[in-house]
Amino acid sequence: MIRFRTVSILATAAAVASMGPTAASAQDVLKIGFAGALTGYLAPYDQPTQQGLELAIDEINKAGGIDGKIKIELTTRDVRSETAQSAVVAQELVDMGINVMIAPCDVDPAVAVGQIAQAANIPTIAPCASTPTLPGIAGPFTFANYTADNLQGTVLADFALEQGYKNALILISRDTPYTEKLPLYFKQVFEAKGGQVPATLEFKMGQQDFSAEVTRIKELNPAPDVIMTAAYEPDFPAFIKQLRSSGINTPVLGSDGIDSPTTLALGEIAEGVVFTNAGFPSEGGPLAKFNAAFTAHFGEEPTSVYPATAYDVIKSIEAAVKATGGNLDGQALRDAIDNLENVPVATGTLTYKGRERVPLRVVALNRIVAGEKTHVADVTPKAADVPAP
Amino acid sequence: MDLFLQQVVNALSLGGTYALLALGLAVVFSVLGLINFAHGELMTLTGYAIFFALAAGLPYPVALVLGVLVATASAVVMERVAFRPLRNSNATVMLLSSFAVAAMLHVLFQNLISARPKAIPAPQFLMRNVEVLGLQIGAVQLVSIAVTAISLLGLTLFLRRSTLGIATRAAASDFNITRLMGINANLVISTAFAISGLLAGIAALLWLFQRGSVDPLMGFLPVLKAFIAAVLGGLGSLSGAVVGGLLLGFIEVGLRAYLPDGMQAYREAIGLTIVIAVLFFYPSGLVPRREAVR
């Protein structure tokens, strides 16, 4: 059902785009290109992102466009989760005359896309790549959007210290920057504030069996007060199952990757797990409103936060276009995004001003209680505490 | 010593799952000379079957049985659709066909079901641990070891006692002669695929209990491990697949348990180097398939 709608929107977008210069004049249409992974290993992130983009654009266009006059037109092309294909698709989108580029959900293809768009003076926003070094690598036209890894690491370390934990174990995987660096940012902050991280264990993504690691944790003397990891499914469920079933009840801290129905379905073994993510849908809050709008539009509840963070991207672009007074020139838009402050978005507010293109946003702390996600706190870490990327 | 024994149990449990998977590949390879790279997708199908069965309100055990049956039936259908029309062509063509099946199923799962993982809860009793001879063993591990042992025993009985099993073994050793003896080739090949689907379904249950969700790309990694295990044991040799699977489990768990922390990043590379070293001394695998030489 959703798929058909996506296809028809894509078809419409493609048809409109193929009309070329005979379509509406550039001044009253903002063209956005999404080089997204509709297939391959990034599809679990980019397909929900596509839904969030569609919803935001639909809302804005129904209200008459940005400032009541500039309509948004979205063209999505599949990059198949490949970096080389991302570069090809990015060039195609640039050649179509887009004004703003949206990059795939992982840092490597996002860098490829950002660099190509930059050569054409087109600003790029990466909706859910969370590596804080991304904008620095890709260049001055590329912006991050998602809760950066170093923000999450800082919030988790502060939380761990508040709980009185002194001795932490981190479980990392060098397979992705996310699974490796996020726990290392945690370690950096935790140690800087007096905690100790004597043990680091490594896993291979998809390894399924954590029995050897769990047996090693059992051996540790002193036993850790807390275990922190950025593993997500299928690794996180496999790890915590084997950890708990071997009788280790050490508290576990995780990051936004485990914000998924699978974690909630784990039952009593996930009880008490605390994790960070981009926002908690408090009653009456913007995320709850977004989730209701999503459910009304797509006929099912969102199963991840990626539609909401994609919605945020469009809201940032809308705010930037308002700031330029409708000037869609690439340099003007870039500067406008770079100066955005406290833009109201689905997950709270976003500030780019003075942030080197990695936005400051709230980090939510959640705790799993009886198979439900409960809200612990919304935290904005002190800028001085956040480790440099 | 206790920790060592604990790691041995860990290795047996992981190796057992690999053995089931490798055996599934080997059964098909022995009769067709084909490595079915869509074998992992049979596991994914089991996962989705369980997910939809639970969503439809079926009781948990029924959903599990249904999941295994779906994998078995899908394997037979897969042979009929993707491999039978190509049976007389080059083995490479069938290999490519198996990749095509896998790729198409990935895209279908991603676009018709969901690109996001779907949760499959595991029964809570599997989260406990059991004390056996002073060792704390996770229930999932005990179940894996038991299920692997029962499956291997069942398969051995089938292959040695039943006519169809004997025909399958005969076909595995010399397919043409077997056909000359009046054995129906299609029946034997379908049986081989059904066995491989059954094994994939059983392995999928063990895999799903650990990971807690099914996603479109779930089958990719297990089939890779199974392939390594099958080559290690000797391609096409059924007992070889079991030996290869267990050895791979021991290599992986051994490295994860005893490699120093600084070296952990290289363990996959070290593990595969060990596999290559074994193949250097046993080029046709540890328990090579016996072939008559005339």
Side-chain angles (χ1 to χ4, degrees), chain B residues 254-273:
Chain B
L255 289 174
R256 272 161 37 204
Y258 296 110
L259 213 55
D261 280 345
M263 303 269 289
Q264 283 291 338
Y266 309 105
R267 68 180 185 221
E268 205 88 335
I270 296 172
L272 290 175
T273 309

Side-chain angles (χ1 to χ4, degrees), chain A residues 39-40 44 47 202-204 206-209 211 213 215-216 219 233-234 237-238 241-242 245 262 268, chain B residues 3 7 10 14 110-111 115-117 124 127 129 141 207 209-213 217 221 256 261 264-265 267:
Chain A
T39 53
Q47 282 194 9
E202 285 194 30
F203 71 100
K204 192 89 193 148
Q207 76 178 31
Q208 187 244 8
D209 172 67
S211 55
E213 287 75 8
T215 308
R216 286 183 64 173
E219 287 177 67
E233 60 193 302
K241 278 182 186 180
Q242 289 172 42
S245 74
T262 311
E268 63 190 44
Chain B
L3 282 171
Q7 298 289 18
N10 296 342
L14 180 65
Q110 282 182 335
N111 291 312
R116 303 286 309 162
Q124 292 293 326
M127 303 302 131
N129 58 349
Q141 285 175 301
W207 211 259
F209 287 156
Q210 306 267 34
R211 75 204 304 279
S213 66
L217 307 180
L221 200 75
R256 272 161 37 204
D261 280 345
Q264 283 291 338
R267 68 180 185 221

Side-chain angles (χ1 to χ4, degrees), chain A residues 126-202:
Chain A
C128 41
S130 62
T131 307
T133 48
L134 163 67
I137 301 168
F141 273 72
T142 303
F143 295 84
N145 166 62
Y146 203 71
T147 323
D149 297 345
N150 50 355
L151 284 184
Q152 294 196 53
T154 307
V155 170
L156 286 166
D158 285 344
F159 175 79
L161 290 162
E162 257 170 47
Q163 303 298 304
Y165 305 142
K166 297 195 168 59
N167 176 354
L169 171 118
I170 57 173
L171 176 73
I172 67 168
S173 169
R174 294 181 206 236
D175 293 347
T176 68
Y178 177 82
T179 48
E180 180 187 8
K181 292 285 165 55
L182 206 160
L184 293 178
Y185 290 127
F186 167 87
K187 177 180 173 173
Q188 205 177 329
V189 178
F190 193 69
E191 287 183 337
K193 294 188 175 180
Q196 282 188 318
V197 184
T200 300
L201 287 183
E202 285 194 30

